[in-house]
Amino acid sequence: MKKALTCLLVVLLCAGIVIPAMAANVFLFSTKSVQLFEGQTLQTEVRREGNYAGDGEVVYAAGKANVATVSEDGIITAVGKGTTEVTASLMRNGKRVGQTKMTVQVLRAVQKVTLSTVKLSVYDPDHTTVASLLKTPTANQVLVLPAGAAVQLSTTCTPEDASSKKITYTTTDAGVARISGTNLKAVQRGECDLIVQSAQNPEVTETFRVMVIQPVKKITIDAGDKKVAAGSRMEVDAVCAPDNASITDVTWSSKNPAIATVDEGGMVTGVKKGTATIVATAADGSKATGSVLITVTQPVTSINITQADIPVTVGRNAQAKAQVLPAEANDKTVTWSSSDTSIATVRNNGQITGVKAGVCTITCTSNSNPDVSASATVTVSQPVTKIVNVNDPSELTLKTGESGQLKWSVQPDDATNKGLTFKSLAPKVATVDANGVVTAVGRGVASITATAQDGSKKQGTVKVTVLQPVTGVTMQRDLYYVQRGGASNVRAVVQPKNANNQKVIWSSADDSIASVRSNGTITGLVSGITPGMTTVYAYTDDGGFTASTQIRVGNFNEAVMVESLEVNANNEIRIVLRNMSQEITLQNVHYKIECFDTDGNPMICNTDGENVFFEGDYPFVLNPYERSMHGGFRFRNYQIDQPLGSVVLTILNWKDSDEYTWYIPEADQVRTQWTRYNYNYNYNYNNPEQGVG
């Protein structure tokens, strides 16, 4: 082990002696990094020694072309802010045999520096505040500083993304104004220049003239009585101390501009009611201030009475309402007055009392501003106290269609408005127009009211009775049948139906055929004396209108006779009827048939399954004394399921060729019976021809 180490040390020692004697192989940029401003160029240099000297082409390349580019001959051009690498490669026979790199940082240069003057007292050199105080002329802006004051400086660089925004500040006379970092302190009265300079680009500067002055230490404001009306103006003055202050100008401001504003000359304008603090600030940068509290008052500017014309009645009150504007006025009290207290008086709360009929004016005047007032017209009226109906007679009676004029007395005589509004409480009986003319419409009684139009609500009433006269009379029927020895009612129809007088007088043209009697009603009782035709008359008591009807007297209950009634072996009911009237042609006979079984008990024979009878018709013409035809009878709902023992036929009514139907009274109805005595036959229960008649 020791022998091996000894050999290694000998080799290293020999190497150390030999290396300095060998030539170095070097391929390197002359500098490893470089800083350039945008737009600048740099010719690079590459050291080539040892094996890299001699032939071979050097090829250049830039990593980020948007930061920097490099030409074929190694000239770097700065393009944009950022950092990139430039590479140089040694090429021999198409192969890279050496390479070196350089870091390139491209900077964005400051183009302009701008001192912030927001919190500084800076003036143009020709401004009246500083022009007379400058000891030496200058073209630069003037920065005014009170002796002993210090300000903090702040500067912005353009462009904002410059690579370095570092600023240096210097003054030309540290005995007047001294810089410490970004702090500028005024040492004593005098002038010097302040130079603002980019640390990156020292050629970029901005220069100000610094004027150190005797500062204002106190400001007193003279504001008179310290009050101004809204919409008005007042001037305030600022007095600066000490007397030898260099600049005595002030700037004005209001802490409550919604209440009061102030312009640059100290003119205060009241905006609205309230208080505002007006501040004067020394223009020399000493920050000395003075203030005064200004009270803005709001005077009354107008009065508006809500009603231009106010009506009031005698002995009653009306309330006048006034709106004092603006709403925020300090003193809104008013005084009311009347131009004629014999017509109307008015209290200070605006309450008006009517004294007598007439017209006057009430006025509302502002107590704080007597030049402002408003007036309204007051019309005093005498109300209606009573409305009296003076018609003779007092109640009016009219027939439908007639008209009548109502007459009224409106009291008192000096009522201002005697106009009346008329109304019918039953317009279907009587109507009334705007002039009090009543028109009868329909039978009945209507109350007509007259209401005062002056709002007093006084009313008068009159009763109107409307009568409906008779306009005609007709008979309920043109022909009546009356049973000989019997009686029937005949009826007259008085028109209209609601006529007041419905009384009718009756008479017969031939009392030997038929007589008529009545107690004066619309119904007459006609008695049949002998068969024949006569006329009965009805006369209306009101108007004498006449109507008549024909009366036919005969034996109508027996006009139809049952000549034959039987039931054959097949239970078919056969009937023969005969017209027994000499004067009447029949076109239909209506009858009823009752059914009985072989034991004489009532038997159900109706399709309803309940009734023991059915009805039927003979719907064919029967001339006087003519018999019915076989097979012409129609049975309604007839159905049986066992043999008939007997049947009973009763004629109920008949209809003649004039469509007149005669109903036989139940007491006069004739019942015809057929009875089966010896029953020995086969009955067909399903025979559809049962009861063919």
Side-chain angles (χ1 to χ4, degrees):
M1 178 64 73
K2 289 181 180 180
K3 184 178 180 180
L5 288 174
T6 301
C7 291
L8 178 59
L9 289 174
V10 172
V11 171
L12 290 174
L13 180 59
C14 292
I17 295 171
V18 173
I19 289 173
M22 295 175 61
N25 295 320
V26 176
F27 186 79
L28 294 172
F29 279 117
S30 59
T31 179
K32 290 185 177 180
S33 63
V34 66
Q35 287 185 339
L36 299 173
F37 287 117
E38 290 173 325
Q40 284 185 331
T41 60
L42 174 68
Q43 176 65 61
T44 61
E45 293 181 4
V46 179
R47 290 173 54 202
R48 298 175 58 181
E49 298 175 5
N51 292 338
Y52 298 113
D55 62 348
E57 180 185 6
V58 178
V59 178
Y60 297 93
K64 298 178 182 177
N66 62 329
V67 176
T69 61
V70 62
S71 66
E72 293 179 356
D73 53 359
I75 299 174
I76 297 173
T77 301
V79 177
K81 180 181 177 181
T83 302
T84 186
E85 283 186 335
V86 172
T87 303
S89 300
L90 178 61
M91 308 296 293
R92 288 177 180 168
N93 299 321
K95 294 183 179 181
R96 185 177 68 192
V97 295
Q99 188 180 66
T100 183
K101 293 184 178 182
M102 175 193 295
T103 300
V104 179
Q105 183 180 18
V106 179
L107 304 176
R108 184 156 292 166
V110 173
Q111 303 295 327
K112 182 181 179 182
V113 291
T114 304
L115 179 69
S116 174
T117 60
V118 175
K119 297 181 180 181
L120 304 178
S121 297
V122 176
Y123 301 88
D124 289 332
D126 57 354
H127 194 282
T128 56
T129 300
V130 298
S132 62
L133 299 177
L134 283 171
K135 293 180 179 180
T136 58
T138 181
N140 299 319
Q141 287 188 301
V142 179
L143 171 58
V144 177
L145 284 175
V151 293
Q152 198 71 27
L153 302 179
S154 174
T155 301
T156 59
C157 294
T158 304
E160 293 183 358
D161 60 347
S163 297
S164 174
K165 298 181 183 179
K166 185 176 180 181
I167 300 296
T168 61
Y169 301 96
T170 58
T171 64
T172 58
D173 190 342
V176 175
R178 183 174 63 247
I179 283 289
S180 176
T182 59
N183 184 270
L184 174 63
K185 183 175 182 179
V187 179
Q188 62 179 354
R189 291 181 65 176
E191 295 177 12
C192 67
D193 286 340
L194 169 67
I195 300 168
V196 182
Q197 188 176 43
S198 168
Q200 179 193 65
N201 293 355
E203 68 275 11
V204 178
T205 62
E206 185 178 31
T207 302
F208 288 82
R209 173 63 57 85
V210 178
M211 178 186 290
V212 179
I213 62 169
Q214 172 62 47
V216 173
K217 295 188 177 181
K218 182 179 180 182
I219 298 176
T220 304
I221 299 177
D222 182 6
D225 64 359
K226 302 179 183 179
K227 289 185 179 179
V228 63
S232 298
R233 301 198 304 170
M234 66 176 292
E235 189 173 9
V236 294
D237 294 321
V239 179
C240 297
D243 294 339
N244 66 341
S246 300
I247 299 174
T248 57
D249 291 344
V250 297
T251 58
W252 294 95
S253 63
S254 171
K255 289 188 177 180
N256 307 86
I259 304 297
T261 61
V262 60
D263 66 13
E264 61 184 8
M267 187 63 71
V268 177
T269 301
V271 178
K272 69 177 182 179
K273 180 182 176 182
T275 58
T277 300
I278 304 300
V279 180
T281 303
D284 64 2
S286 63
K287 299 183 181 180
T289 62
S291 64
V292 64
L293 185 66
I294 298 297
T295 299
V296 179
T297 60
Q298 179 59 63
V300 173
T301 57
S302 65
I303 296 175
N304 177 36
I305 298 178
T306 56
Q307 284 180 272
D309 296 293
I310 304 175
V312 62
T313 57
V314 172
R316 295 189 179 180
N317 298 325
Q319 184 65 49
K321 295 182 180 180
Q323 184 181 24
V324 180
L325 299 174
E328 63 271 16
N330 289 72
D331 183 358
K332 298 171 71 174
T333 61
V334 296
T335 298
W336 293 86
S337 61
S338 170
S339 65
D340 191 341
T341 55
S342 68
I343 294 175
T345 60
V346 59
R347 293 183 176 184
N348 273 338
N349 63 356
Q351 186 184 69
I352 304 167
T353 301
V355 179
K356 70 175 183 181
V359 179
C360 66
T361 300
I362 59 167
T363 302
C364 178
T365 304
S366 168
N367 290 334
S368 61
N369 190 357
D371 293 333
V372 177
S373 64
S375 298
T377 300
V378 174
T379 302
V380 181
S381 60
Q382 172 61 56
V384 173
T385 59
K386 190 175 183 181
I387 300 173
V388 180
N389 168 27
V390 294
N391 294 279
D392 187 19
S394 60
E395 294 186 1
L396 191 62
T397 300
L398 299 171
K399 292 182 179 180
T400 55
E402 290 183 341
S403 296
Q405 177 69 60
L406 295 179
K407 297 179 182 180
W408 306 89
S409 173
V410 179
Q411 300 172 2
D413 292 338
D414 63 344
T416 302
N417 182 0
K418 292 187 176 184
L420 299 176
T421 299
F422 302 100
K423 181 180 180 181
S424 171
L425 300 184
K428 291 184 178 180
V429 176
T431 60
V432 61
D433 66 12
N435 298 315
V437 176
V438 177
T439 301
V441 177
R443 176 182 173 182
V445 177
S447 292
I448 305 297
T449 62
T451 304
Q453 294 178 351
D454 66 353
S456 62
K457 299 183 180 180
K458 297 297 180 181
Q459 279 190 341
T461 305
V462 64
K463 185 170 121 178
V464 176
T465 301
V466 177
L467 303 177
Q468 176 59 58
V470 174
T471 60
V473 64
T474 59
M475 299 301 293
Q476 193 176 47
R477 294 202 307 230
D478 295 332
L479 174 66
Y480 285 88
Y481 283 39
V482 179
Q483 178 71 19
R484 183 187 64 183
S488 294
N489 287 323
V490 295
R491 190 177 184 86
V493 179
V494 177
Q495 295 154 351
K497 292 182 180 181
N498 65 338
N500 288 73
N501 187 351
Q502 296 278 328
K503 186 177 180 180
V504 175
I505 301 169
W506 296 88
S507 66
S508 172
D510 190 343
D511 288 334
S512 65
I513 295 176
S515 63
V516 60
R517 60 187 178 86
S518 172
N519 58 0
T521 65
I522 59 175
T523 301
L525 183 64
V526 177
S527 299
I529 307 301
T530 58
M533 290 284 292
T534 187
T535 302
V536 168
Y537 298 93
Y539 304 89
T540 63
D541 183 58
D542 178 10
F545 296 97
T546 304
S548 63
T549 184
Q550 295 296 308
I551 302 296
R552 173 172 285 172
V553 179
N555 190 12
F556 303 122
N557 293 338
E558 300 173 4
V560 180
M561 182 180 73
V562 180
E563 281 197 348
S564 174
L565 174 64
E566 63 180 20
V567 180
N568 64 16
N570 291 325
N571 258 6
E572 295 176 347
I573 302 173
R574 296 187 177 275
I575 306 168
V576 178
L577 302 179
R578 184 175 183 180
N579 181 358
M580 299 301 295
S581 173
Q582 181 180 355
E583 302 172 341
I584 302 173
T585 297
L586 304 177
Q587 68 172 0
N588 186 77
V589 179
H590 185 64
Y591 53 85
K592 178 176 77 172
I593 295 179
E594 300 169 86
C595 302
F596 300 87
D597 61 15
T598 55
D599 294 327
N601 298 316
M603 182 178 73
I604 295 174
C605 57
N606 197 301
T607 56
D608 63 10
E610 295 180 1
N611 286 308
V612 294
F613 68 89
F614 64 91
E615 296 184 11
D617 295 277
Y618 183 77
F620 298 100
V621 173
L622 284 177
N623 293 309
Y625 302 115
E626 185 178 8
R627 291 182 176 86
S628 61
M629 298 183 299
H630 174 68
F633 289 85
R634 300 290 181 264
F635 297 155
R636 300 180 189 173
N637 306 322
Y638 173 50
Q639 179 178 305
I640 59 173
D641 56 5
Q642 57 181 315
L644 286 167
S646 63
V647 294
V648 175
L649 185 149
T650 304
I651 304 298
L652 301 178
N653 58 70
W654 48 261
K655 182 189 296 184
D656 67 8
S657 57
D658 294 325
E659 297 292 327
Y660 185 92
T661 301
W662 178 266
Y663 294 91
I664 302 173
E666 187 175 356
D668 296 327
Q669 293 174 354
V670 176
R671 294 162 55 89
T672 302
Q673 183 174 359
W674 171 89
T675 302
R676 186 192 302 274
Y677 291 103
N678 296 312
Y679 311 121
N680 186 13
Y681 60 87
N682 293 322
Y683 180 73
N684 184 358
Y685 293 99
N686 297 318
N687 185 354
E689 297 296 326
Q690 287 181 1
V692 295

